[in-house]
Each structure stands twice: as structure tokens, then as C-alpha cells.
Amino acid sequence: MSETWNTRTKLVHEGSRRSQYGEMAEAIFLTQGFVYPTAEAAEARFVQAGADEFIYARYGNPTTRMFEERIAALEGTEDAFATASGMAAVSGALTSMLRAGDHVVSARALFGSCLYVLEEVLARFGVKVTFVDGADLEQWRAAVTPGTKAVFFESMSNPTLELVDIRAVSEIAHAAGALVVVDNVFATPIFSRAVDQGADVIVYSTTKHIDGQGRALGGVVCGTQAFVRKVLEPYMKHTGGSMSPFTSWIMLNGMATLDLRCRAMAESAKSIAQALQGHDKLGRVIYPGLDSHPQHALCMEQMGSGGTLVTFDIAEGKEAAFRFLNALEIAKISNNLGDAKTIATHPATTTHQRLPQDQKDSLGITPGLIRLSVGLEDAGDLIADLMGALERA
Ligand SMILES: *Cc1c(COP(=O)(O)O)cnc(C)c1O
């Protein structure tokens, strides 16, 4: 709406539309279709729908449009398309731009479902995928060739919080004419500067920080207007992965507090990492916001924050990790992240259970590893909860 608005103002107001009733809150347009005043108007809209003209909710909806404009303004992209889940966003972004014979280079450390899309689905349709160690720029340089159509990576990996240098990988990709597609969930749209660093297409699971209260599945793809409206939208609207108006309304409400929440969670995450560091029951404590983290400088350059997750290794292994989880009183055992409630996950037996042992080893998913998504509770209470559970681990 206004070029001069800062983030928090955009998060509250950007994209808002009001009906003739002047309602204060964003309305949920819970309608699949739209009525045309005349047959001629219907014909004209099917030829070319105007900016605020809608045809069918699978193509677009006023509530969804508000959310798309708000997130695009936040991310700094020309446009965005909202999807039914984060995986609809990842698979839609990739499938809409690729065809048989294309080559993709991807980081190996991926969310399980992303790995399935790249390894199983794209392969079945004749797309060749080369996997690299995302932090190793030499491997990107060797794998990206003039025939590479796209590169894909999670800017901060799950669960070991390893960063991929967006600026450096984008330079390598762009020199070869490849598009840069970033799954930016762990970075959050608040700490993201991915567009300025060279990313072409930025994907979020809005199920995570954007909802922020664990209510609904959703996703969004941010990019240029040409990509979003000419490449992605035709694919999404005809294959059916659009976001529902009700979900869009949940996400719009999440956006209003997104900046406050992400900053508070990151501040607590840092305090927790500092408190855990050096604990005698722990091996590694991974938080890129700590000075001691090997990618600290890159993390600060890329995100300006260490983010909202802390990962640590209970040295004694699985049984001790389970005793720790079962002793937690505030933090919940679950597998979402970015929620107001602090969530502890044991990746080796849940989110990454299906990976063969050698892949777990190479991704650093040890038997005692715990991923903590830090919520909005009092940081002191959380530290006391974690310390108490470590005592009993
Ligand atoms: C959760 C997640 C997804 C998938 O999102 P859904 O909303 O669960 O479909 C993709 N990538 C990352 C990094 C995630 O954390």
C-alpha cells in the first residue's frame, strides 16, 4: 500500500480490502465463486480478470489475495501465491517451472517431504537432480552447469541449523542461468533478506511461524510477478493446491504479530542456547546466533539473528533423550515448529525416522539429538524446565 511503510505497519495493514460495510477485521470471503453482473462481464473476466476481480476460489479469493499481498510486501517480492500447505508450495514451485530433461541441483539436507519431491517425483518425470552438501560452495560450483535450470535448498537446515550462503549460491546459479529456489521456513520471513541476497523464488510453509499458533496447514510461494502469475498460478489453479479463504484469514491474523513473535522467540532461543552451552549432560549445542557457532558470521550477515530454534545433543543417547523429553513440563513433545508453544522433537525417531543410518550420520542426526522450537513462554521458565528435565535425563 505504501512504499514508505516499515515492516510492522505492513504486517498489520498491507493488502487489506474492505467491503461496503467498512468492517475493521479482514473479512473471510467464504465463497467458492463470484456473481457477474452480466453475461458480457463474465465473458470479459474469463478473457482477462482485473486486479481485484475473481472467478473461482481455486484461482483466487479476496481473503487469500490480502494474505498474498501482505506476505509479498514483507518478503520484498513483486507477488506471491498462497497454497494449501508448505509442500504444495515446494512441489508447485518446482513442478511448475521444470520439464523432462531439466537439471536441478539441491542441497542434501532437506525436510523429508522435500526430499521425496526431488528424489522420487521429479525423477519420475525425467528431471535430473544432483545433491550437494549445501554448506560446501565447491560442491555447488562443481554441480551447477550451463544446463542447470534451478537450484534448491533450505536456507537453514533441519534439524542441525546449518546455513546455506544464499548470496554465494545465487551467484553460482545465476552465472549458469539457473533460478534460485529457497525453502526459507527456518529463517522466517522476518529474518529473511533472501531477495536482496539473490533468491528468485522463496517458499514458506505458513504452518510454522506465520500461523504461529499451530492451527492450520498452509504455504506460500513468493517471486516476480512474471513467475508467480505466468508460471506458478496456471499450474496451481489447475492442479488444485490453492489456500482456502479460511486458512488465509488465519494466516493474515498471524502476520499481524509475526515480527513481535519471531523476535521474542529468537531472543529466548539465544538465552536458552547460552544456558545450555557447556552443560555436562550435553554434547553439541547448536545455535547459529552464538559467537562460538562456526557459521555465526554468515548467520548474522544473512539473517541478522540466530533464529527461533536450538538443537542440542544429549550425550548419553536415545534413552537419556527420551527421559529428558518425558520429564519436560512446559515444552511439548511434538514436531511442528514456530509455534507459540515450545516444542521438543527427537528427529532420529520421528521426523527423520525413515532415513537410513548412513544418511542420519552424514546429516548429524545423532541418537541423543533434540530440536527445540522456542515458543513465547517466559525464557526463565523454559530454562528451568529444560534444566530440570536434563537433571532427570
Ligand atoms: C514444515 C516444512 C515444510 C512442509 O510444510 P507443510 O506445511 O507441513 O506442508 C517444508 N519445508 C520445511 C523446511 C518445513 O519445515
Side-chain angles (χ1 to χ4, degrees), residues 85-88 90 111 114 154 183 185-186 205 207-208 217-218 337:
S85 68
M87 285 321 303
V90 171
F111 185 74
C114 296
E154 290 170 14
D183 180 334
V185 168
F186 280 50
S205 162
T207 314
K208 314 293 166 57
L217 280 175
L337 60 99

Side-chain angles (χ1 to χ4, degrees), residues 293-355:
H293 189 278
Q295 291 183 307
H296 178 67
L298 172 63
C299 180
M300 288 299 124
E301 215 269 311
Q302 191 153 296
M303 294 166 54
S305 164
T308 69
L309 290 110
V310 182
T311 296
F312 47 92
D313 190 37
I314 297 187
E316 257 185 70
K318 179 182 162 184
E319 276 71 42
F322 275 26
R323 283 196 297 276
F324 165 79
L325 287 169
N326 293 336
L328 289 168
E329 285 171 6
I330 298 172
K332 301 293 172 240
I333 305 168
S334 191
N335 42 267
N336 190 25
L337 60 99
D339 197 294
K341 299 180 179 75
T342 294
I343 292 173
T345 310
H346 186 248
T349 55
T350 61
T351 53
H352 293 69
Q353 186 190 128
R354 290 184 330 141
L355 286 187

Side-chain angles (χ1 to χ4, degrees), residues 177-318:
L179 283 171
V180 177
V181 185
V182 180
D183 180 334
N184 218 18
V185 168
F186 280 50
T188 81
I190 294 302
F191 302 130
S192 168
R193 305 162 185 178
V195 176
D196 294 338
Q197 289 153 352
D200 299 298
V201 177
I202 299 134
V203 180
Y204 290 100
S205 162
T206 68
T207 314
K208 314 293 166 57
H209 302 82
I210 295 175
D211 174 343
Q213 291 169 70
R215 299 165 295 195
L217 280 175
V220 69
V221 183
C222 303
T224 62
Q225 197 164 31
F227 174 73
V228 170
R229 296 298 152 193
K230 295 285 187 285
V231 178
L232 180 72
E233 183 194 293
Y235 177 86
M236 293 307 305
K237 77 183 191 187
H238 295 305
T239 57
S242 310
M243 182 178 274
S244 87
F246 185 74
T247 300
S248 302
W249 176 80
I250 289 174
M251 300 307 167
L252 273 167
N253 285 295
M255 294 284 279
T257 56
L258 185 62
D259 185 83
L260 297 170
R261 285 186 289 109
C262 287
R263 290 185 193 284
M265 286 152 76
E267 202 174 299
S268 296
K270 187 170 183 187
S271 305
I272 288 169
Q274 282 164 338
L276 292 178
Q277 225 181 4
H279 191 288
D280 58 10
K281 291 222 169 128
L282 296 179
R284 292 175 298 164
V285 174
I286 307 172
Y287 184 67
L290 292 180
D291 297 342
S292 56
H293 189 278
Q295 291 183 307
H296 178 67
L298 172 63
C299 180
M300 288 299 124
E301 215 269 311
Q302 191 153 296
M303 294 166 54
S305 164
T308 69
L309 290 110
V310 182
T311 296
F312 47 92
D313 190 37
I314 297 187
E316 257 185 70
K318 179 182 162 184

